[in-house]
């Protein structure tokens, strides 16, 4: 038997993955399939909402206190779903760590707020910075979220996205240390170091 070199196949790629729609996920959830599990649906993938490390949880608490002071408790969402526009709506239902409503509406009792009904969405990132600053950024831009922050806990910086147009944010700023940012149109500002443990 003659030995030879096996050529690497050039055709094909990874096998197709199953992308879930919101309808499928909602049916599975109603059937109890996800009992005791936390996840969010992003681009058809179920993303495990793993337990939070102490720095992540601390940053949420620090920011929450400042947002409540600036906007009042009724306008703050904590890890709750935000509706997107079509076609993203069919495949994604993100849950930002924190978000601020533009106003409180009675019909939020029957539906989730849309991205364009927020003033601000925030993701606290320790292990998911790349994902939050690309995939989620683009979802929020297409949904019309006017301002999106990624608080990078490990690099101790805040990535601020503003002015969504044609599915992308036109302005991006990176702040760190004593640099501060205004909380929406409010006179109150907060330094990046005040958001971090």
């Amino acid at each position: 038997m003659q030995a030879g070199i096996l050529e690497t196949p050039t055709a094909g790629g990874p096998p197709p993955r199953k992308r879930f729609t919101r309808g499928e996920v909602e049916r599975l959830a109603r059937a109890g399939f996800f009992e005791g599990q936390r996840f969010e649906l992003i681009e058809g993938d179920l993303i495990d909402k793993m337990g939070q490390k102490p720095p992540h949880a601390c940053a949420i608490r620090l920011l929450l206190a400042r947002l409540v002071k600036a906007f009042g408790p009724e306008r703050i969402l904590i890890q709750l779903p935000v509706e997107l526009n079509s076609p993203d709506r069919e495949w994604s239902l993100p849950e930002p760590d924190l978000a601020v409503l533009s106003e409180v509406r009675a019909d939020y009792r029957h539906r989730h707020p849309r991205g364009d009904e927020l003033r601000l969405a925030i993701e606290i990132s320790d292990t998911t910075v790349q994902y939050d600053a690309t995939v989620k950024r683009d979802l929020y831009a297409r949904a019309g979220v006017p301002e999106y922050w990624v608080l990078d806990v490990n690099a101790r910086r805040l990535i601020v996205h503003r002015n969504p147009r044609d599915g992308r944010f036109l302005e991006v700023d990176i702040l760190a240390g004593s640099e501060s940012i205004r909380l929406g149109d409010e006179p109150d500002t907060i330094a990046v170091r005040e958001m971090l443990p």
Side-chain angles (χ1 to χ4, degrees), residues 10-197:
T10 57
R17 71 181 204 266
K18 166 63 179 148
R19 290 180 67 207
F20 290 92
T21 66
R22 281 182 56 181
E24 291 170 329
V25 171
E26 288 166 359
R27 284 191 297 278
L28 288 168
R30 280 193 302 273
F33 188 79
F34 302 117
E35 193 70 35
Q37 299 178 58
R38 290 200 62 238
F39 61 88
E40 64 184 334
L41 180 66
I42 304 293
E43 295 187 343
D45 292 325
L46 293 176
I47 307 299
D48 189 5
K49 299 283 278 192
M50 57 195 127
Q52 298 172 0
K53 295 178 182 175
H56 185 280
C58 181
I60 289 175
R61 286 192 309 273
L62 292 170
L63 264 169
L64 176 61
R66 292 302 292 272
L67 293 172
V68 166
K69 181 180 171 191
F71 299 104
E74 64 282 349
R75 290 177 56 196
I76 309 303
L77 305 177
I78 306 166
Q79 297 177 336
L80 294 174
V82 172
E83 283 290 345
L84 303 178
N85 299 330
S86 293
D88 292 324
R89 185 182 190 286
E90 178 71 12
W91 301 100
S92 299
L93 188 63
E95 298 180 5
D97 286 313
L98 294 163
V100 179
L101 295 169
S102 294
E103 64 178 324
V104 177
R105 298 174 48 123
D107 62 341
Y108 292 156
R109 294 177 186 169
H110 309 287
R111 68 174 180 88
H112 300 303
R114 295 187 320 261
D116 63 352
E117 295 173 321
L118 301 181
R119 288 190 67 164
L120 172 65
I122 304 170
E123 295 288 356
I124 311 297
S125 298
D126 49 2
T127 60
T128 59
V129 176
Q130 179 69 25
Y131 189 78
D132 293 339
T134 56
V135 175
K136 282 195 172 179
R137 172 203 65 200
D138 295 346
L139 286 174
Y140 292 135
R142 290 191 299 266
V145 174
E147 190 165 339
Y148 170 53
W149 297 358
V150 177
L151 182 61
D152 182 348
V153 173
N154 297 323
R156 304 190 63 78
R157 65 184 182 159
L158 179 68
I159 307 168
V160 179
H161 305 83
R162 291 188 181 112
N163 196 9
R165 189 171 302 146
D166 299 325
R168 63 187 194 95
F169 288 103
L170 300 182
E171 298 174 35
V172 179
D173 293 308
I174 298 176
L175 308 173
S178 62
E179 292 178 294
S180 63
I181 188 164
R182 186 176 302 272
L183 296 173
D185 296 329
E186 307 300 320
D188 196 19
T189 62
I190 182 171
V192 174
R193 67 176 176 225
E194 296 176 78
M195 304 177 195
L196 295 161

